[in-house]
């Protein structure tokens, strides 16, 4: 089964900021040690649901990283939805779907575009301008 070359990762802008540019740090999510990989998605229709399920209670400005699968470091495996830290994986679009899990960091060279996520004051993810 062919997979799209674009993968998506939601990230706090504060955590991503030191990783920007050619000399930026490698980005590992805060839950990488616990989870063992970087959570990603290949389905833009699920991004708001993912954000609201896993990250609604996390304050601050958020970005969607649009990554090029061919430029990512580490191995990408398509696996069932998994918890993010202590937040269980079960959400509406996750049943039976396989998600890309990156066994490694995200480097700036693997990111084609950074998109700002619109959020409500209560943390609800409202929209991501994908165009």
């Amino acid at each position: 089964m062919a997979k799209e070359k674009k993968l998506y990762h939601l990230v706090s802008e504060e955590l991503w900021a030191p990783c920007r540019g050619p000399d930026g740090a490698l980005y590992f999510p805060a839950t990488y040690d616990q989870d063992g990989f970087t959570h990603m998605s290949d389905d833009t229709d699920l991004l708001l649901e993912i954000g609201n399920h896993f990250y609604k209670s996390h304050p601050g400005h958020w970005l969607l990283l649009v990554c090029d699968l061919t430029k990512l470091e580490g191995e990408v495996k398509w696996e069932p939805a998994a918890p993010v830290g202590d937040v269980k994986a079960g959400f509406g679009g996750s049943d039976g779907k396989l998600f890309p899990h990156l066994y490694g960091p995200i480097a700036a060279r693997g990111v084609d575009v950074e998109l700002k996520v619109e959020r409500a004051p209560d943390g609800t993810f409202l929209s991501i301008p994908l165009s």
Side-chain angles (χ1 to χ4, degrees):
M1 170 173 26
K3 297 292 179 188
E4 292 294 323
K5 289 187 178 182
K6 298 297 178 202
L7 297 180
Y8 307 93
H9 180 75
L10 289 164
V11 62
S12 161
E13 189 168 19
E14 180 181 350
L15 293 178
W16 178 246
C19 304
R20 289 183 170 122
D23 296 325
L26 294 176
Y27 166 77
F28 288 91
T31 60
Y32 190 88
D33 287 340
Q34 184 175 354
D35 300 344
F37 56 84
T38 302
H39 293 265
M40 303 192 87
S41 179
D42 61 347
D43 187 342
T44 57
D45 292 338
L46 291 178
L47 293 173
L48 291 176
E49 189 172 357
I50 290 168
N52 286 318
H53 180 79
F54 291 109
Y55 308 115
K56 182 178 175 181
S57 66
H58 297 248
H61 297 284
W62 280 65
L63 301 170
L64 177 71
L65 303 181
V66 180
C67 301
D68 182 330
L69 173 60
T70 65
K71 296 178 185 174
L72 291 173
E73 300 177 21
E75 182 180 4
V76 175
K77 298 179 184 179
W78 271 260
E79 300 172 319
V84 175
D86 295 328
V87 180
K88 294 186 188 217
F91 61 93
S94 67
D95 294 341
K97 177 165 176 44
L98 298 180
F99 288 86
H101 295 155
L102 171 62
Y103 287 81
I106 297 176
R109 73 176 217 69
V111 178
D112 289 341
V113 180
E114 298 175 17
L115 300 172
K116 291 193 180 212
V117 176
E118 182 184 353
R119 298 180 75 191
D122 71 352
T124 300
F125 285 66
L126 299 173
S127 69
I128 302 168
L130 291 170
S131 54

